[in-house]
Amino acid sequence: MRHGIVLFTSDRGITPAAAAQAAETAGFDTFYVPEHTHIPVKREAPHPRTGGAALPDDRYLRTLDPWVALATAASVTTRIRLATAVALPVESDPITLAKTIASLDHLSGGRVTIGAGFGWNVDELADHGVPGSKRRTVLREYLEAMRALWTDDEASYAGEYVSFGASWAWPKPVQSHIPVLVGAGGTERTFRWIAKSADGWLTTPSDVDIDDKVALLRRIWQEAGRSGAPEVAALSGKPDPDRIAHLASIGVTELIFGLPDREPGEVVAWLGRLAGKLGIG
């Protein structure tokens, strides 16, 4: 079982670099950050947790760019993986984003994991020219196109939403395959998408009792002819030993704990206490 930390980055509080450095020192395996380019004031999309226009945290309005945040973290760490929970790739140009991610993987020594979301905020997506009803298709094309740029000496891609002719693009990532986890509700539709186009599932706050969902994902994964087993990164609350053991037994591969929105010194101390309870470090 691996242990991750997610920092809801904003323009206040502890910096991503300081949080990642403290998390690595404490023994955690992965450092996650989120993404929102902006939040339209007037929108039709309800937030999944509030069920309406209200946001559960004002940091939604203040999130840092995830790749810049992870680059600062890369410069002060050597081991911890650098990940997103979750990024919204379809809100960027895919060729430019492929370059950014490849550069981060190159400079960090191969430590990038992409946690990608389809995007609950369809109004935000619309401002980027992405039809809400097509966001899964657009994300699939983006990932396929970026993988071509990461692996082929002369990359090209032809899709409905992404298209470019034979191109050179370096640096290539250090990793031969950058892992992609999909952060979305645990439904059969999501799991079939993962089995076709990703490497695992990142749970949402609403996915609490996940035994049956993990079993369904593993069955769909096998039916799709995928080798091994899917990664399952589960958002976690308290570090309860019995629950951790149970989650490991059903196929959860990583637990992710959210950092509190406190002063930097308090966050670092909190990380040390959590690491002690988990027996890591």
Side-chain angles (χ1 to χ4, degrees):
M1 178 73 77
R2 299 188 304 276
H3 303 90
I5 287 295
V6 58
L7 172 66
F8 201 146
T9 55
S10 76
D11 56 358
R12 62 172 186 247
I14 193 168
T15 65
Q21 189 174 49
E24 180 174 84
T25 299
F28 289 90
D29 300 293
T30 314
F31 178 69
Y32 291 87
V33 297
E35 178 174 27
H36 279 288
T37 57
H38 68 302
I39 301 292
V41 174
K42 294 183 178 180
R43 62 186 192 280
E44 297 180 2
H47 188 277
R49 288 171 60 187
T50 67
L55 297 169
D57 194 310
D58 73 341
R59 286 176 292 179
Y60 279 88
L61 318 178
R62 316 180 73 91
T63 52
L64 304 180
D65 178 274
W67 309 110
V68 173
L70 291 177
T72 67
S75 69
V76 296
T77 57
T78 59
R79 177 192 58 80
I80 199 166
R81 290 196 66 82
L82 308 168
T84 50
V86 293
L88 300 167
V90 302
E91 295 186 351
S92 298
D93 174 83
I95 299 173
T96 303
L97 182 60
K99 172 73 76 172
T100 297
I101 295 173
S103 297
L104 179 61
D105 200 68
H106 169 74
L107 294 172
S108 68
R111 292 190 278 146
V112 173
T113 294
I114 302 171
F118 300 122
W120 63 266
N121 193 341
V122 294
D123 302 280
E124 180 181 353
L125 296 176
D127 285 348
H128 290 280
V130 179
S133 62
K134 294 290 186 178
R135 59 191 187 272
R136 292 171 181 252
T137 301
V138 179
L139 179 58
R140 177 177 288 120
E141 289 194 6
Y142 268 50
L143 291 175
E144 290 172 350
M146 290 194 296
R147 285 168 178 150
L149 289 163
W150 292 333
T151 57
D152 298 343
D153 286 349
E154 291 189 2
S156 62
Y157 188 82
E160 183 179 358
Y161 296 96
V162 184
S163 182
F164 54 87
S167 304
W168 294 314
W170 273 268
K172 303 300 185 186
V174 171
Q175 299 176 92
S176 60
H177 178 79
I178 293 180
V180 175
L181 307 179
V182 172
T187 65
E188 180 175 346
R189 184 186 183 196
T190 293
F191 294 156
R192 293 198 181 282
W193 199 100
I194 290 171
K196 182 177 181 181
S197 301
D199 303 291
W201 178 40
L202 198 161
T203 69
T204 70
S206 61
D207 294 300
V208 179
D209 298 319
I210 62 173
D211 293 47
D212 292 342
K213 294 180 179 182
V214 173
L216 176 61
L217 170 60
R218 291 167 71 91
R219 177 174 64 79
I220 290 173
W221 184 269
Q222 293 172 351
E223 290 173 351
R226 298 288 297 269
S227 61
E231 294 288 324
V232 179
L235 299 178
S236 184
K238 296 180 180 180
D240 177 74
D242 292 337
R243 177 162 174 73
I244 291 174
H246 173 71
L247 291 173
S249 73
I250 66 171
V252 172
T253 52
E254 183 170 41
L255 292 180
I256 304 173
F257 299 88
L259 288 179
D261 187 15
R262 300 176 186 168
E263 292 300 313
E266 294 181 75
V267 173
V268 172
W270 184 91
L271 278 168
R273 291 193 299 271
L274 178 59
K277 295 174 181 177
L278 293 169
I280 62 176

